[in-house]
Amino acid sequence: MRNIGIIAHIDAGKTTTSERILYYTGETYKMGETHDGQSTMDFLPQEKERGITIASAATTCSWKGVTINIVDTPGHVDFTAEVERSLRVLDGAVVIFCGKGGVEPQSETVWRQADKYRVPRIAYINKMDAIGADYKRVMEQIRHDLGANPVLITMPYITEEGLQGAIDIITQEYAIFKGKLGVDITKGPIPADAEEDAIGFRQTLIETLANNDDEILDLFIDNLPVPNELIVRAIRNQTLAGEIVPVLCGSSYRNVGVQLLLDAVVNYLPSPKDVGGFEATEAETGLPVMLHSDENEDFAGLVFKIVADRHVGKLAFIRIYSGQLSAGSYVYHVNKGRREHVGRILRMHADHREEVQVIKAGDIAAVIGLKNVSTGDTLSVEKNPVLLENIEFPEPVISIAIEPKNRMDQVRISEALAKLSSEDPTFRASVNQETGQTLISGMGELHLEIITERLTREFKIDAALGQPQVAYKETISRLANGECRFVKQTGGRGQYAHVKLTIEPAEETSIEFKIVGGAIPREYFSAIEAGAREALLDGPIKGFPLVNVKITVLDGSFHEVDSSEMAFKMAGLLGVKDAVTKAGPQLLEPIMKLEITAPDEFTGNIINNLNSKRGRLESMDTSYNTQIIRGFVPMAELFGYSTSIRSITQGRAAFNMQFSHYEAYMEASKVAV
């Protein structure tokens, strides 16, 4: 078995490659194309219309007796969470690069995500039929920009007529892809004009492998031939160890090289058993424990994706790390400490489903019937519960007000938004208490545009959108004291609470109690903390949440009769508000890391434009008459940036932005709430 993800920058050819894989492995009877909205993997209406992948789609196929679970992921930065959660549960990845574009901004992002989860990968340089495609340049970019060690195992054969086929560096054979849609492969000797290159690349491959393989090193030193089987084994071992990245070339659209890519997936990417152990924690003791991909061990699995389905309710995508799971059984939901019933188990083929009774260690499938699970939750056996590492997602950075157009939709919209936020961890819905507006927050304008389209199409809710809002936050700049004596006397029993505290800047928000001599009984601590945390939800400048503060409760007093939890909650709330106003409150704004790739002649225009947007230049690199400009720009200045950058570069620039950090914004008066 192989669990692989297909990851890349937008428009590198992920979905086109996935379609070929499904066709050649016999899963589909015809090839769908993204440009005409017919691809199997891009089945959402929004994906068909735009020709891009929005949600990662899972499917299963088989090649040369090996089952391959494939997840096709989005390439757009707004949907980077889909890549994150897919890589968390996959054992290997195919990273696709455009033969012309090379290592593009989002290529680097997905590569770093794969690094984070230590996922072995192979690289596939696609679009080798395009004018200007250069696999040697792309390999150098992989080495220089990504810090990887690429080794070529198939090279393209290109003549004046274009891309003709692929040359296998290991076997020194030339493969031509003939017949209907490249199904028939003819192998023969390497054409004379490519022979020198092919031999040279095989020699380079052997030299690279010899660095970490004693058997090959001995043969290499003695100038003896190295058998192909030994080369394949060494490539596999060193790929799994992350020491090399095998590189293949082809053109998925022209049906050249995809079968060789499938061979490489089987030969060089890990099976669940190759990964060794998976780290987990014993739920009761907190001690580390290793899980193994063995169906006879206790069951443990991770929910990595939730999909709200109109017909069956909640579909939970799950990766089984050990043991097995049967339809109709009960599992233990470790995060919530409760049992859950497994209804049906489905093996997914994009939007088609095949019902199965049992899934075993290493499998990826969808489960119906789990009611209270969220993305990142662990399921295991009740007698020996373990926790798998959760998945971390970036915080949303853009908000828009949303208003249903008629009263009937008012109740339905909150249910729909709850379903969408359970599916997507980077999407949030909240209500502004002061204005009563419903706000939706996400990773970018396209992300929120897709969400509102889904509201109309799937949930039949017609909603109007307000202007985008930035998710500002507030903090403090110095230490300050706060005090509240909350006293209310009514006809009967009164209310009394007295709290003294300090507030100061910190790395992260925390609340500490340093009360001596029982000035405030311990049973009121939780009430004070609840009040303090409530006060932090509403900052003094513009009402944004307060972050990075440390509150220390030092002293206070209570009344034997009149003190209550409610009184101390109010005292905690008002005491914090009192301290915050004296602590030099500051507004924080989200800063985006921006990377722009454009021809040399537009550099001046781009930098001037960045300066006008309060941007800070970080670095500039020149690569083949192209400038790569990196900098930091406030999120508030980047609305509609795609239109702006197109106009100043005649549509020839590409850019990528992602959230970097929050920093103080001095001109708080200019912030629109």
Side-chain angles (χ1 to χ4, degrees):
M1 183 184 286
R2 304 286 182 273
N3 291 318
I4 65 161
I6 297 185
I7 60 176
H9 184 87
I10 193 166
D11 207 28
K14 293 179 299 303
T15 303
T16 304
T17 305
S18 301
E19 291 300 317
R20 268 60 185 172
I21 288 172
L22 292 181
Y23 182 77
Y24 296 137
T25 56
E27 283 301 316
T28 54
Y29 62 90
K30 74 184 238 322
M31 280 184 196
E33 303 292 359
T34 48
H35 56 78
D36 58 18
Q38 296 298 311
S39 67
T40 307
M41 301 298 268
D42 286 352
F43 55 85
L44 295 174
Q46 299 92 326
E47 294 177 318
K48 289 181 184 293
E49 285 167 14
R50 288 175 167 80
I52 63 169
T53 304
I54 290 165
S56 53
T59 191
T60 303
C61 58
S62 181
W63 183 253
K64 296 188 175 176
V66 175
T67 300
I68 306 175
N69 292 319
I70 301 172
V71 177
D72 176 29
T73 65
H76 196 285
V77 67
D78 279 17
F79 310 105
T80 195
E82 288 285 336
V83 183
E84 186 84 23
R85 61 178 166 195
S86 300
L87 285 171
R88 168 65 183 84
V89 297
L90 293 170
D91 303 321
V94 175
V95 189
I96 299 182
F97 298 95
C98 171
K100 192 175 175 184
V103 175
E104 295 169 283
Q106 186 66 2
S107 316
E108 199 167 337
T109 303
V110 298
W111 192 273
R112 301 286 172 243
Q113 286 171 310
D115 280 344
K116 176 178 168 184
Y117 294 112
R118 298 188 293 279
V119 175
R121 64 215 84 151
I122 55 180
Y124 175 62
I125 301 174
N126 191 23
K127 302 191 178 183
M128 285 310 302
D129 58 316
I131 295 167
D134 182 350
Y135 66 94
K136 292 178 184 174
R137 175 170 61 84
V138 179
M139 282 184 66
E140 188 50 45
Q141 288 178 333
I142 293 171
R143 183 177 285 106
H144 178 265
D145 297 350
L146 304 178
N149 186 15
V151 293
L152 195 69
I153 56 172
T154 71
M155 63 177 267
Y157 179 59
I158 302 167
T159 64
E160 289 177 0
E161 284 81 42
L163 179 67
Q164 301 300 309
I167 294 167
D168 189 323
I169 301 298
I170 300 167
T171 61
Q172 295 286 290
E173 290 178 314
Y174 171 46
I176 306 170
F177 301 82
K178 293 179 173 177
K180 188 188 174 192
L181 303 173
V183 172
D184 301 325
I185 303 172
T186 307
K187 290 188 177 179
I190 298 171
D193 56 341
E195 204 168 356
E196 189 182 333
D197 268 355
I199 292 167
F201 278 125
R202 191 176 194 274
Q203 190 67 10
T204 305
L205 172 61
I206 290 168
E207 285 176 28
T208 307
L209 295 174
N211 291 330
N212 293 297
D213 190 296
D214 293 341
E215 205 174 336
I216 291 180
L217 181 62
D218 291 341
L219 292 170
F220 178 67
I221 290 170
D222 296 337
N223 215 13
L224 294 169
V226 182
N228 294 340
E229 301 77 33
L230 191 56
I231 293 176
V232 170
R233 193 177 74 215
I235 293 174
R236 180 178 180 79
N237 292 338
Q238 293 182 33
T239 303
L240 299 191
E243 288 157 357
I244 60 166
V245 176
V247 178
L248 296 95
C249 301
S251 169
S252 299
Y253 185 59
R254 301 284 174 210
N255 310 311
V256 173
V258 178
Q259 293 97 321
L260 300 181
L261 175 64
L262 275 164
D263 288 342
V265 166
V266 170
N267 289 339
Y268 308 128
L269 288 181
S271 77
K273 285 189 165 63
D274 291 323
V275 178
F278 302 95
E279 293 175 8
T281 310
E282 285 185 358
E284 290 168 6
T285 63
L287 295 171
V289 63
M290 293 300 280
L291 305 179
H292 300 96
S293 192
D294 184 344
E295 62 189 68
N296 298 314
E297 285 194 4
D298 286 340
F299 161 72
L302 184 79
V303 176
F304 68 96
K305 181 171 176 171
I306 301 289
V307 175
D309 189 283
R310 277 186 303 167
H311 306 295
V312 297
K314 192 181 272 190
L315 263 181
F317 282 74
I318 184 170
R319 159 75 194 261
I320 310 293
Y321 283 95
S322 68
Q324 50 185 302
L325 184 64
S326 306
S329 64
Y330 280 88
V331 293
Y332 187 64
H333 185 179
V334 185
N335 303 74
K336 298 268 173 66
R338 55 180 293 168
R339 295 175 86 203
E340 291 267 4
H341 180 252
V342 176
R344 291 154 58 206
I345 300 174
L346 306 173
R347 204 176 286 288
M348 303 301 289
H349 300 283
D351 59 339
H352 300 293
R353 296 148 189 189
E354 171 199 345
E355 195 160 337
V356 293
Q357 290 306 306
V358 180
I359 47 175
K360 299 179 179 178
D363 267 327
I364 290 175
V367 174
I368 299 171
L370 304 174
K371 290 190 169 59
N372 298 296
V373 294
S374 310
T375 301
D377 284 355
T378 303
L379 304 175
S380 79
V381 291
E382 193 167 356
K383 66 172 193 249
N384 188 21
V386 293
L387 263 175
L388 288 152
E389 185 191 350
N390 209 325
I391 311 169
E392 289 179 12
F393 295 103
E395 287 287 313
V397 292
I398 173 174
S399 300
I400 291 181
I402 187 165
E403 198 72 43
K405 289 185 178 174
N406 60 63
R407 195 178 289 274
M408 294 287 288
D409 288 339
Q410 193 73 49
V411 177
R412 290 172 58 228
I413 195 168
S414 57
E415 290 175 7
L417 292 175
K419 281 183 181 175
L420 290 171
S421 57
S422 75
E423 277 188 35
D424 184 349
T426 57
F427 170 70
R428 307 267 168 81
S430 59
V431 175
N432 185 321
Q433 296 302 327
E434 289 183 9
T435 63
Q437 277 186 313
T438 301
L439 299 177
I440 56 173
S441 309
M443 298 306 296
E445 291 172 85
L446 178 62
H447 187 193
L448 295 183
E449 192 184 309
I450 298 293
I451 292 283
T452 48
E453 269 188 36
R454 288 188 63 190
L455 281 174
T456 308
R457 282 189 162 141
E458 290 175 35
F459 299 96
K460 306 290 185 279
I461 293 170
D462 206 5
L465 291 179
Q467 278 298 305
Q469 291 183 323
V470 179
Y472 292 97
K473 291 183 180 177
E474 296 182 27
T475 192
I476 56 170
S477 57
R478 59 177 180 266
L479 186 143
N481 297 314
E483 184 176 1
C484 174
R485 192 182 294 273
F486 185 75
V487 184
K488 279 204 172 180
Q489 197 61 49
T490 55
R493 183 177 162 185
Q495 296 280 359
Y496 179 88
H498 176 213
V499 171
K500 285 184 180 179
L501 50 83
T502 62
I503 191 164
E504 59 190 305
E507 286 294 312
E508 55 184 45
T509 300
S510 63
I511 298 173
E512 197 177 323
F513 289 86
K514 287 187 177 175
I515 292 168
V516 292
I520 300 173
R522 189 170 288 276
E523 64 256 33
Y524 295 129
F525 285 9
S526 58
I528 295 170
E529 183 170 343
R533 290 201 182 275
E534 195 173 309
L536 296 179
L537 296 175
D538 186 12
I541 301 174
K542 294 283 182 181
F544 294 108
L546 276 151
V547 295
N548 300 350
V549 298
K550 181 184 178 184
I551 298 166
T552 309
V553 183
L554 299 170
D555 200 4
S557 59
F558 74 104
H559 189 278
E560 291 284 356
V561 178
D562 289 351
S563 286
S564 66
E565 286 197 0
M566 180 53 73
F568 272 104
K569 183 181 176 184
M570 289 304 298
L573 187 148
L574 297 171
V576 170
K577 284 190 176 291
D578 174 49
V580 168
T581 54
K582 305 171 195 168
Q586 284 184 323
L587 196 70
L588 297 174
E589 64 176 337
I591 305 295
M592 306 298 281
K593 186 173 185 181
L594 189 66
E595 184 170 302
I596 304 157
T597 309
D600 276 342
E601 65 259 37
F602 300 110
T603 305
N605 292 353
I606 292 168
I607 290 172
N608 289 338
N609 182 259
L610 284 182
N611 289 336
S612 72
K613 294 181 179 297
R614 298 188 288 128
R616 268 196 332 270
L617 200 62
E618 183 194 22
S619 68
M620 289 172 60
D621 295 318
T622 306
S623 172
Y624 305 95
N625 301 324
T626 299
Q627 280 285 355
I628 300 165
I629 300 163
R630 296 181 182 90
F632 296 95
V633 185
M635 175 79 199
E637 304 285 347
L638 289 174
F639 291 123
Y641 187 65
S642 53
T643 309
S644 154
I645 192 80
R646 279 190 202 118
S647 65
I648 61 175
T649 62
Q650 298 166 15
R652 292 171 66 193
F655 77 96
N656 168 57
M657 64 175 172
Q658 61 191 70
F659 172 70
S660 173
H661 62 282
Y662 274 88
E663 68 180 44
Y665 180 38
M666 300 306 169
E667 300 176 87
S669 57
K670 290 188 179 178
V671 177
V673 179

